[in-house]
Amino acid sequence: MQKKWNILASNHSKTQTLFEVLKVSKTLCAILVQRGIDDFEKAKQYFRPQLAGLHSPWLMKDMEKAVNRILKAFEQKEKILVFGDYDVDGTTSVATVYQFLIHIYNEVAYYIPHRYKEGYGVSKMGIDYANEQGITLIISLDCGIKSIELIDYAQTLGIDFIVCDHHLPDATLPKAVAILNAKQKECNYPYKELCGCGVGFKLLQALAEKLQLPAENYLQYLDLVATAIAADIVPITGENRILAYYGIKKVNENPCPGIKALLQLSAIKKEMHVTNLVFVIAPRINAAGRMDDAKKAVQLFIEQDITKALAIAELLHSDNTDRREADASITEEALAMLEANEIGKTKKSTVVYQPHWHKGVVGIVASRLIETYYRPTVVLTRSGDLVSGSARSVTGFNLYEAVHACKEHLIGYGGHFAAAGMTLLPDNVNPFIQAFEQVVSSTISPDSLVPEIIIDAEIKLNDITQGFFKLINQMEPFGPDNMRPVFITRKVSETGFSKIVKEQHVRFVLKQGNVIMNGIGFNMAEKFTLLQMDEPVDIVYTLELNEWNNETNIQLKMIDVKLSFD
């Protein structure tokens, strides 16, 4: 698949100013300026995040109301239910808030809706359960901002809601006693990008201050907060950067038994970063909701006994194995369908449907298909009497708007710019496929159908020193809005020592001037012929450490390579 390379422009005057105060590599100064870090104070906060830099929770609209309602519940011996979504952000939120409350108050329970029986967010079954249990206060985490009718229903039963959410609110808000959401109008909270668990964490910070409890009462859950930040793909900037920095520190030094058990089962020996948190912990937690019941994830996070935690982690591990098998077989089947459809290859969208596919992995499969056919993609399966599906977009294309334009063929739908879900009648599958293609082909720009690689800077191989690499590592934690820097080096030569590894990967040795560097290109075996042409190439890559035979060296991790053109 051809990819377009986009090299970011640098601001020379701001770069020079920053270089004069920091006295570090000019290339890295240019990258920092691109990321909005253009003076000494910002650089200090960036490289040395401090917990003291967290904002006051009282700046969040309705925080006073939320805290007062919880204190009233304590005084009047009310039962409280902590309610969260079934994904990583939801389950970590519930585990964090539930544990904090149960340590200071006995009448607390938690509830995670079943993905298939109840669906996303606040559910009628959950409210009815609360009513049966005599619960009069529900704290909803990572959901609730759009649950207007359900929160009205809860009110008729004498149940109050505190909504802690980070999703974009609609014009009409639910009638909750308090809504904590930095994205709502008239909320002056300085940082708008917290995840659901981050919002829950701010509530705990405020409660601890009000009750004069030590900060450790809420800081001990930073490993869970960092897991949510990593999994929910929120920007790693501002307050999220501070929370992720200290949360990952805790994951590496002193994680809760649940995370420790997951790491043990994953056989991870090396230091954890945001990226391996995403790939190691997130799929195992998500698999619980996808394949079975996400309550197991909360049980794991709140378990204090490592032996019991390992037993629960084994169940999640097994769910994840099932998920991977389902994901791999459905992806293979879907790719074969697309490969066999000659007309489909010229389309601007992909919609595939098989009634036997597992509902829990269709979103993952949609993402996988985009790796081969880069275009807006919907994967549909049968769910009872209905067809349901997940959609994923490509950069720059508003998927929600496209699905919304096909609403006459749908029973229900929801989502955002990059992802969506829908349900429809089986008879409407073909009309939907046609309508979706029509909408996409008439609105998508040709640029959006070509994957783009954003490149931070052009460097030479001799710029790659231990000091340079050390500074890059100090830019961690990496994630959205603070990705690991991507470099381009032009006119490098292959040395004759490159080879294909395990049929899929390329291990290569490149030379520029008198500097020789090793590298790896995962799943890039098709680029091997290009390297063998004995012509200079331009390579795009990130830098990483390679540990082999007790030796540690910096290596290039190839993203793309093309023949050099003068």
Side-chain angles (χ1 to χ4, degrees):
M1 191 192 296
Q2 274 303 107
K3 295 175 182 173
K4 56 175 188 276
W5 294 3
N6 178 2
I7 305 172
L8 296 178
S10 54
N11 183 318
H12 297 295
S13 64
K14 282 189 175 182
T15 299
Q16 185 59 32
T17 306
L18 192 63
F19 172 70
E20 282 165 13
V21 291
L22 294 186
K23 303 282 195 293
V24 296
S25 154
K26 209 171 257 192
T27 300
L28 282 180
C29 287
I31 294 169
L32 291 171
V33 168
Q34 284 164 359
R35 297 179 186 198
I37 299 140
D38 53 10
D39 63 32
F40 180 79
E41 197 49 46
K42 287 178 189 169
K44 186 180 164 190
Q45 286 169 12
Y46 177 81
F47 284 112
R48 302 282 180 270
Q50 299 296 321
L51 287 168
L54 294 175
H55 302 302
S56 164
W58 305 103
L59 296 171
M60 197 173 282
K61 187 176 189 285
D62 283 3
M63 187 60 82
E64 195 88 45
K65 288 180 188 172
V67 168
N68 289 342
R69 182 63 187 86
I70 292 168
L71 295 183
K72 183 187 165 196
F74 290 178
E75 283 161 23
Q76 300 192 349
K77 307 271 189 292
E78 292 178 68
K79 289 183 176 178
I80 300 172
L81 184 69
V82 182
F83 187 110
D85 195 25
Y86 43 68
D87 65 3
V88 179
D89 196 9
T91 52
T92 51
S93 301
V94 168
T96 300
V97 174
Y98 171 78
Q99 285 184 99
F100 178 92
L101 292 176
I102 204 75
H103 281 122
I104 55 175
Y105 181 69
N106 288 332
E107 295 290 346
V108 188
Y110 66 85
Y111 190 96
I112 303 286
H114 194 281
R115 186 181 187 116
Y116 307 124
K117 293 174 192 165
E118 296 167 76
Y120 164 79
V122 174
S123 68
K124 185 173 183 295
M125 272 174 74
I127 293 169
D128 289 340
Y129 167 82
N131 191 39
E132 286 159 20
Q133 300 298 315
I135 286 159
T136 48
L137 176 62
I138 295 177
I139 301 169
S140 73
L141 295 149
D142 191 35
C143 59
I145 198 69
K146 294 179 191 285
S147 306
I148 294 165
E149 293 86 359
L150 284 164
I151 289 175
D152 282 347
Y153 169 65
Q155 254 188 346
T156 67
L157 302 173
I159 299 170
D160 283 342
F161 257 85
I162 293 169
V163 172
C164 304
D165 205 345
H166 69 118
H167 297 99
L168 206 59
D170 291 333
T172 308
L173 296 174
K175 292 190 184 81
V177 291
I179 295 174
L180 304 180
N181 184 332
K183 294 187 177 112
Q184 67 179 312
K185 281 181 185 156
E186 294 163 32
C187 181
N188 297 321
Y189 196 73
Y191 189 68
K192 305 293 183 187
E193 301 299 337
L194 292 168
C195 62
C197 192
V199 178
F201 178 85
K202 299 311 292 188
L203 174 60
L204 304 188
Q205 195 183 349
L207 276 166
E209 285 181 21
K210 189 82 167 179
L211 295 166
Q212 297 182 314
L213 298 169
E216 187 49 37
N217 278 42
Y218 57 89
L219 292 177
Q220 64 180 307
Y221 304 117
L222 277 173
D223 49 355
L224 294 178
V225 180
T227 303
I229 288 169
D232 224 52
I233 318 179
V234 287
I236 309 276
T237 56
E239 202 164 31
N240 279 344
R241 183 171 170 80
I242 301 171
L243 295 169
Y245 180 89
Y246 285 97
I248 286 161
K249 197 169 183 293
K250 188 172 192 309
V251 167
N252 285 311
E253 292 170 7
N254 178 30
C256 66
I259 288 180
K260 193 175 186 179
L262 281 177
L263 294 178
Q264 212 165 306
L265 277 185
S266 314
I268 292 283
K269 298 281 187 282
K270 56 187 179 187
E271 197 180 345
M272 291 298 287
H273 303 275
V274 164
T275 35
N276 36 14
L277 263 183
V278 171
F279 292 118
V280 174
I281 293 181
R284 287 167 174 80
I285 300 306
N286 274 330
R290 289 181 192 284
M291 308 311 283
D292 186 21
D293 187 347
K295 283 193 186 73
K296 279 188 288 202
V298 180
Q299 287 164 358
L300 175 73
F301 289 140
I302 66 178
E303 182 54 66
Q304 294 307 303
D305 181 298
I306 187 66
T307 310
K308 289 177 183 170
L310 274 165
I312 304 167
E314 286 277 9
L315 295 173
L316 296 180
H317 200 63
S318 157
D319 283 342
N320 192 47
T321 305
D322 294 347
R323 190 270 308 162
R324 275 157 76 168
E325 285 168 6
D327 157 14
S329 68
I330 295 169
T331 302
E332 196 177 322
E333 196 177 337
L335 282 171
M337 285 167 66
L338 292 170
E339 201 55 44
N341 183 351
E342 285 303 319
I343 300 165
K345 286 178 187 173
T346 60
K347 285 185 170 184
K348 302 282 196 294
S349 69
T350 296
V351 185
V352 283
Y353 168 55
Q354 283 293 345
H356 64 270
W357 287 345
H358 194 293
K359 188 178 168 184
V361 298
V362 288
I364 299 170
V365 172
S367 298
R368 296 258 192 273
L369 296 182
I370 287 173
E371 290 169 15
T372 306
Y373 293 93
Y374 193 77
R375 56 201 190 189
T377 297
V378 184
V379 180
L380 300 167
T381 186
R382 193 70 183 250
S383 180
D385 295 334
L386 301 174
V387 170
S388 67
S390 272
R392 294 292 181 270
S393 194
V394 292
T395 306
F397 182 73
N398 191 328
L399 185 67
Y400 179 79
E401 290 295 332
V403 172
H404 173 72
C406 303
K407 65 178 187 289
E408 65 181 287
H409 306 294
L410 305 173
I411 292 169
Y413 62 95
H416 49 83
F417 197 94
M422 71 284 296
T423 51
L424 58 161
L425 291 167
D427 288 350
N428 281 340
V429 170
N430 283 328
F432 170 73
I433 291 173
Q434 287 162 16
F436 187 69
E437 170 61 20
Q438 199 277 318
V439 170
V440 175
S441 58
S442 62
T443 56
I444 197 162
S445 78
D447 278 357
S448 290
L449 292 166
V450 183
E452 180 181 57
I453 301 169
I454 304 289
I455 300 164
D456 293 277
E458 180 175 342
I459 59 173
K460 295 200 164 6
L461 291 186
N462 65 7
D463 293 323
I464 304 167
T465 62
Q466 288 292 343
F468 183 75
F469 183 67
K470 197 173 169 186
L471 275 168
I472 287 172
N473 286 341
Q474 284 179 17
M475 294 171 73
E476 294 223 32
F478 293 121
D481 290 3
N482 186 50
M483 299 300 278
R484 180 175 282 280
V486 173
F487 300 108
I488 179 171
T489 299
R490 299 188 192 274
K491 295 191 177 163
V492 294
S493 308
E494 201 276 326
T495 55
F497 292 102
S498 300
K499 59 183 179 184
I500 289 180
V501 184
K502 294 181 181 172
E503 296 176 15
Q504 292 172 308
H505 319 303
V506 181
R507 181 155 287 292
F508 56 85
V509 185
L510 298 177
K511 184 178 182 184
Q512 188 184 50
N514 58 359
V515 180
I516 292 174
M517 287 209 73
N518 296 331
I520 183 85
F522 290 110
N523 300 307
M524 297 189 84
E526 80 279 2
K527 301 287 185 186
F528 185 61
T529 48
L530 198 68
L531 293 171
Q532 284 194 307
M533 288 171 74
D534 208 18
E535 295 280 346
V537 294
D538 299 346
I539 181 169
V540 176
Y541 57 90
T542 56
L543 293 171
E544 64 174 21
L545 270 188
N546 179 40
E547 293 170 33
W548 180 252
N549 282 346
N550 296 325
E551 271 192 34
T552 305
N553 294 300
I554 302 167
Q555 71 171 0
L556 314 182
K557 185 179 175 185
M558 179 161 69
I559 297 169
D560 203 6
V561 63
K562 292 178 184 175
L563 288 175
S564 298
F565 294 103
D566 291 325

